[in-house]
Amino acid sequence: MKINNEKRVFIGIPVGCKIKSILSIVKSAVNCNPNCIKWIPPENIHLTLSFLGNIRVKDIHHFIESLEKKITSNNFQLTITGTGVFPSSKSPKVLWLGISKGIDELTSLQNRVEKSVEKIMKNHQGDTFIPHITIARIRSLHAKIDVLPFLNSVYSPIDLDVNSISMYESKLLPEGAQYTIINTFPLN
């Protein structure tokens, strides 16, 4: 029996319950073969602050302690509005919702998270932070999906109170990713 001594971990802000009401609007704007796209279940939708990757189970408490010391941000409000795709509209791989209000506070919080984990993970290279909320992934490299209607989707802006961040374990299963909160860090 193999014992797994590592967990796949990321730090993020849960948002799924807050945006559930607009998902049908943005989904209806994407007209393609359903097998070509994987919609993220609402309970898994989040805004990623830092992807840590595989870390040893015995080291998780070090990350928690470091985050508790470094995350001294005040709570703040984000406004979710707009849509986008990565890497481009001609070759979309990810469909996302955007952030308008609260970007400075969010970027500051993300920087604190990165600095906190850098002290433990010597080779941690955080990606350039582009605030967004992934709601779908394109499965097929050869799928032709017209994302223009999605990019032109209109929905009422959604205000989100950011009172905490969470450390998640991500298990990759055949039916999709399963996220479990390891720890929650309240903001002041």
Side-chain angles (χ1 to χ4, degrees):
M1 183 173 158
K2 182 182 173 190
I3 298 174
N4 193 347
N5 293 323
E6 293 184 331
K7 290 186 180 203
R8 187 171 186 262
V9 176
F10 67 90
I11 310 296
I13 300 168
V15 298
C17 64
K18 198 69 172 163
I19 65 166
K20 202 172 188 177
S21 62
I22 61 143
L23 290 178
S24 61
I25 295 168
V26 294
K27 281 182 178 183
S28 68
V30 180
N31 187 12
C32 69
N33 180 334
N35 295 326
C36 294
I37 193 165
K38 169 77 171 131
W39 293 99
I40 309 296
E43 64 274 9
N44 278 2
I45 296 176
H46 63 278
L47 191 157
T48 302
L49 296 171
S50 182
F51 179 74
L52 306 180
N54 290 336
I55 61 172
R56 295 183 304 193
V57 172
K58 68 179 187 172
D59 292 334
I60 289 176
H61 76 279
H62 295 299
F63 286 94
I64 292 171
E65 287 174 358
S66 183
L67 285 162
E68 285 174 340
K69 288 177 187 170
K70 285 279 184 195
I71 307 306
T72 58
S73 299
N74 291 329
N75 53 22
F76 60 97
Q77 192 173 66
L78 293 177
T79 299
I80 301 167
T81 185
T83 56
V85 298
F86 289 135
S88 71
S89 60
K90 293 192 186 308
S91 181
K93 304 283 182 271
V94 173
L95 306 181
W96 51 264
L97 303 178
I99 306 295
S100 59
K101 181 182 158 197
I103 291 177
D104 290 342
E105 295 91 340
L106 181 63
T107 301
S108 175
L109 175 61
Q110 191 270 343
N111 284 332
R112 285 189 178 109
V113 169
E114 285 296 323
K115 284 186 182 3
S116 174
V117 300
E118 282 173 359
K119 291 185 182 259
I120 301 167
M121 298 178 74
K122 304 297 182 220
N123 297 328
H124 179 68
Q125 295 276 322
D127 292 331
T128 301
F129 185 59
I130 301 171
H132 70 283
I133 300 164
T134 298
I135 60 168
R137 297 187 186 282
I138 309 300
R139 288 183 166 161
S140 172
L141 297 175
H142 305 292
K144 294 291 182 200
I145 297 176
D146 179 12
V147 293
L148 195 56
F150 171 77
L151 292 172
N152 290 324
S153 294
V154 177
Y155 58 89
S156 296
I158 298 170
D159 291 327
L160 174 70
D161 293 320
V162 180
N163 299 316
S164 64
I165 63 173
S166 296
M167 175 185 282
Y168 293 86
E169 175 184 8
S170 171
K171 290 183 183 175
L172 300 178
L173 304 172
E175 61 273 12
Q178 176 188 26
Y179 300 149
T180 305
I181 293 176
I182 297 172
N183 200 60
T184 297
F185 305 90
L187 302 180
N188 299 325

